[in-house]
Each structure stands twice: as C-alpha cells, then as structure tokens.
Amino acid sequence: MDSVFLIRLVQFILSISILVLLHEGGHYFFSKLFGVRVEKFFIFFDVGIGKWTGKLFSKKIGETEYGAGWLPLGGYCKIAGMIDESMDTEQMKQPPQPYEFRTKPAWQRLLIMIGGVLVNFLLALFIYSMVLFYWGESYIQTKDMSHGMKFNTEAQQLGFKDGDILVGTEKRPFKSFGTDLYRDISEATRVDIIRDGKAMAIQLPGDLNLLDMIKKQPPFVAPLVPAEIDSVLPHTPASSIGMEKGDKILAINGKAVDSWNEFTMQVSRLNDVVTAKGTKADSIKGRTISLTFQHASTGVVDTVRTMLDNEMRLGVLQKGIWEFYEPTQVEYGFFESFPAGIRYGIGVLRGYVDDLKYVFTSDGAKSLGGFGAIGSLFPPMWDWMMFWRMTAFLSIILAFMNILPIPALDGGHVLFLLYEMITGRKPSERFLIIAEYAGISILILLMIVANLNDILRWLGYM
C-alpha cells in the first residue's frame, strides 16, 4: 500500500473519529442533563451483514450500549422516544415514558438536538486557538512577494500582468496567498498592485466567478516562483546533462521560462501532445526537448537536448516559495490565542458559507468531493499542525452541514422543534417518519454524487 495513501488514511480516520465522538457526545451530554435515556452510543455505523451484527466492539454500561461499528460514515446516539436514523417506530407505539425525548419540554429537546453542532463549532474554535498558541502563525505577506504573481489569460485580459505585486482591494489589504485572496479579488471593484515599483490600481467588475478562477488551469493567479533548482535526483534526465542545485531554467524548446509556473505549463502542453499522438515514435519526439539553463556555480548559460522520462519529468526538485521570502511570524500568548482563534474560525465559516452558492451550479456539483477528496486534503507526511488545522476545518463543516434544515440532520429536527415552539403544535409522528426517510434519501444521493465525482476524477474523466 502506498505510504502517502496510508498516512492520509490514518489522519482521516483519526480526525473523523474525534469529530464524531465529540459530536455525538454533545447530544449525549444534554440528554443526560435532562434525564433522557440514551440507549446506544456508537462511533461509526454498525450495519449488520447476514448474521454479523456489524459491531467491532460493544459494551453495555447501565442503560446505554457503547461501541463502534465498521462503517465510517458518522456515528449515532440513539435517544429513547425519538424518531431518528434508527427508524425505531415500534418504540414510538408504546406509551410515552418520563425518561423519553418526546415527553420533555421543547426547549430541552432543542438543546439536545443542537448539542452536537454546538460541540463541533466550539471544538473548531478551541483547536484554532491552541494551534495559534502552540505554533503561532507563519505566512508570507503578498506585498512582500517581490517576484510578484503569475496570471492566466483571463486575468491578463482584466489588466493584470505577470510580476504584479498584489497589495489589496478597496475593502482590505491582502494578508497572504490563499482562498481568501481569491475571494477578495472575485468580489473587488478595485485591486491595488505594485508594477515595476509603482503603485497603481486595476478596476474589476466585482462579481468574478470564484470557482472558475480556482479551477482554471493555469489558475487565475499564483505566486511567481523562479525556476531555480533545489536538488537534482540521481539517474534522471537532469543529472545526465549536468544540472546542479541552484541552476536556473531559462527556456524550454526556445520558449522563455520565467518561473516554475511557466515551466509546468509548457511541460503540460507537451504532455497533451504526447497523449494525443499515442505512438512510441511520437512519444519519444514529444519528450525530447531543448533546455536552456544557467549554471549557478559559473553563471554560464547552456542549451542542451535531453529527453524527459515516461512521466514527463526532468528529475529535479523545485525551490519552494518559502526559500525566496522571509515569512511573517506572529506569536500568541495563551489568553491572546482565544480571540485570535475565534476570529480565524469565524472567518473560515464565513468563507465556507459564501462559497456554498457555487454548489448549486453545474461546475459546483462537479466539484463536490467524497471521502477521497477529503482525505487528500491531509498532508502526505505526518504534520500535527496541519492535522489539527484540518480537523478544525472539518469540525466547522460538520457543524454547518448538520444545522442545515434537512430532515435526518440535526437542523431538520431543530426546524420541526422551532415550528412546535412557535405554533404550539407538534408535527405528527407519521410526518416525522416520512421526513426522516426523505432526508436520509437526500443524504445518500449527495454521498453517491460526491464519491462518484472522486472516482471520475481518479479515472481522469473530470
């Protein structure tokens, strides 16, 4: 099994286990607080197959069975006297008991239902706060990126030029390169830049499509990273032509290369040609390139012919952006970290909610990802800081998605409870059962679409 896949899988399972445990723990806490019986408390689903119960382990303590199932699609807290995903309608036919969910006041039932969402949201803010306290915050300010940015054709048509240094918009200065920068540009009517040492502004429409900006290849904007070599791998095309650490690539097939961005795009175009032709002779021809580079040790410029390997690789490792700029490091004291973590978490939530509108477009539906897409967000090497940041991000998503007013989610139950509190009338049990089935169907459909997208992307159809 590939080591990168295994590392990401372990991180994903650990993260989801923590989130599910604490989410269901939120429901459990308020249930116990108000004297409601919890019959089962499980991490993951114990879907039975034949005579197998689907339980990895279970133990009954008092009135509650605790355990773990084999299907890592969530977890559940089976609360007595409640219509939930267990669809235990037989219990609902029995006379109501004082320890059941349905006999408690509406405000207590409301707190029981929002308990999981509340825990996930507070957990995310706590994790962000502790990450800032322990590791601080390290980033490169866009105004300090002296090499500027690389822009695609659409961006250049709006007035940007390669090498422009991004400063900010009419709303606020840019902090660092990332999704927030993309979002700010998409909503901006003015972007302030530095071009050739002079401050100037570019006027924009204020309604650029964020999804298009990010998905286009090459993307709308990316940091311009000079094409300097960090190291040369042995027994590769690069080593055979004498390339060394610090050498700079200047051109490929006579076309100027000003950055790794440009080099990657040129090689990608060659790969498209090789793939389209398909024959061995065409492959050899397409992989054979003229490469111009400057030796770091002597300053001498060489132009040599070489052949990329079968994966269209030269055999060098790139210098990363952190090697060209001095990062800004911000440290937080213990008490300072909490307001900073809260601001950061709320910013993440606001950005996620703003971007949700793209889900209802055709491109947005294609961008939905399942377990594979989520797992790929974790770093390929074990990194505790990135693990906790990803866990906090997933916790916020889990909180928001669960509070959506969809039957079978916590938000669906909250919607019906609010209706009861406002009108004084409970929805009928038949209605709740139908709504639960409808909600589960919607969730299964979304899960199928998201994971099918993962499969199609893996097969190269998306």
Side-chain angles (χ1 to χ4, degrees), residues 82-93:
M82 174 184 169
I83 297 173
D84 58 11
E85 61 268 24
S86 68
M87 303 307 294
D88 186 3
T89 56
E90 290 302 315
Q91 185 183 69
M92 304 303 291
K93 295 177 182 178

Side-chain angles (χ1 to χ4, degrees), residues 364-405:
K366 292 177 184 176
S367 70
L368 286 174
F371 300 119
I374 296 172
S376 67
L377 295 175
F378 287 93
M381 301 296 289
W382 196 280
D383 183 327
W384 278 113
M385 184 184 73
M386 291 304 299
F387 169 80
W388 286 117
R389 287 174 70 96
M390 269 305 305
T391 299
F393 177 65
L394 293 178
S395 193
I396 280 184
I397 293 177
L398 184 60
F400 178 76
M401 295 302 293
N402 261 285
I403 205 62
L404 291 176

Side-chain angles (χ1 to χ4, degrees), residues 88-352:
D88 186 3
T89 56
E90 290 302 315
Q91 185 183 69
M92 304 303 291
K93 295 177 182 178
Q94 306 302 317
Q97 301 296 322
Y99 56 79
E100 289 186 334
F101 177 82
R102 55 180 164 169
T103 62
K104 300 299 179 180
W107 68 270
Q108 292 185 3
R109 285 180 279 137
L110 180 64
L111 285 173
I112 291 172
M113 292 318 306
I114 67 172
V117 168
L118 182 64
V119 166
N120 279 135
F121 185 64
L122 293 178
L123 173 67
L125 299 183
F126 177 76
I127 291 175
Y128 281 133
S129 299
M130 291 299 96
V131 167
L132 292 176
F133 169 65
Y134 190 82
W135 285 284
E137 190 176 13
S138 185
Y139 58 92
I140 300 170
Q141 298 187 67
T142 56
K143 67 182 181 64
D144 293 337
M145 294 181 182
S146 55
H147 291 287
M149 297 284 171
K150 189 80 174 175
F151 298 90
N152 68 7
T153 303
E154 289 79 4
Q156 293 182 21
Q157 289 173 348
L158 291 168
F160 292 102
K161 288 186 178 180
D162 289 345
D164 286 349
I165 299 172
L166 296 175
V167 177
T169 69
E170 73 276 10
K171 293 182 180 179
R172 61 178 178 175
F174 296 126
K175 182 178 179 181
S176 60
F177 183 82
T179 305
D180 286 342
L181 179 140
Y182 267 96
R183 188 178 295 109
D184 286 352
I185 292 177
S186 72
E187 299 171 353
T189 57
R190 188 194 81 236
V191 175
D192 299 320
I193 66 168
I194 296 175
R195 179 179 295 169
D196 299 326
K198 297 179 181 179
M200 61 180 295
I202 294 174
Q203 304 302 315
L204 295 181
D207 60 351
L208 297 177
N209 187 296
L210 177 63
L211 197 61
D212 284 344
M213 293 170 67
I214 295 174
K215 289 186 66 178
K216 283 285 179 66
Q217 289 300 324
F220 186 91
V221 58
L224 194 156
V225 183
E228 290 187 24
I229 295 170
D230 180 70
S231 57
V232 177
L233 302 177
H235 313 299
T236 61
S239 65
S240 68
I241 60 174
M243 297 189 84
E244 297 176 340
K245 177 182 177 67
D247 290 356
K248 181 183 292 186
I249 298 174
L250 302 178
I252 179 170
N253 289 340
K255 296 179 181 178
V257 170
D258 62 359
S259 60
W260 282 119
N261 318 60
E262 183 68 25
F263 178 80
T264 301
M265 186 171 68
Q266 295 288 354
V267 172
S268 178
R269 288 173 179 168
L270 291 174
N271 186 53
D272 289 341
V273 173
V274 169
T275 303
K277 298 280 184 173
T279 67
K280 184 176 181 180
D282 288 324
S283 173
I284 293 173
K285 183 179 179 181
R287 290 188 291 118
T288 302
I289 63 170
S290 170
L291 190 70
T292 301
F293 66 99
Q294 184 178 38
H295 293 274
S297 57
T298 63
V300 174
V301 175
D302 268 345
T303 298
V304 298
R305 291 185 68 79
T306 187
M307 187 167 67
L308 302 176
D309 68 14
N310 291 330
E311 301 297 324
M312 299 298 287
R313 294 174 301 197
L314 181 61
V316 298
L317 298 180
Q318 307 172 4
K319 275 191 177 180
I321 190 170
W322 291 83
E323 297 190 49
F324 293 97
Y325 308 113
E326 187 71 27
T328 297
Q329 179 71 28
V330 182
E331 302 294 341
Y332 295 91
F334 181 74
F335 294 106
E336 291 176 314
S337 67
F338 287 98
I342 290 169
R343 286 194 301 271
Y344 190 92
I346 290 175
V348 170
L349 177 61
R350 185 183 295 116
Y352 182 75

Side-chain angles (χ1 to χ4, degrees), residues 82-84 113 408-418 436:
M82 174 184 169
I83 297 173
D84 58 11
M113 292 318 306
L409 292 178
D410 296 341
H413 294 287
V414 168
L415 178 66
F416 299 141
L417 280 167
L418 291 175
E436 194 76 13

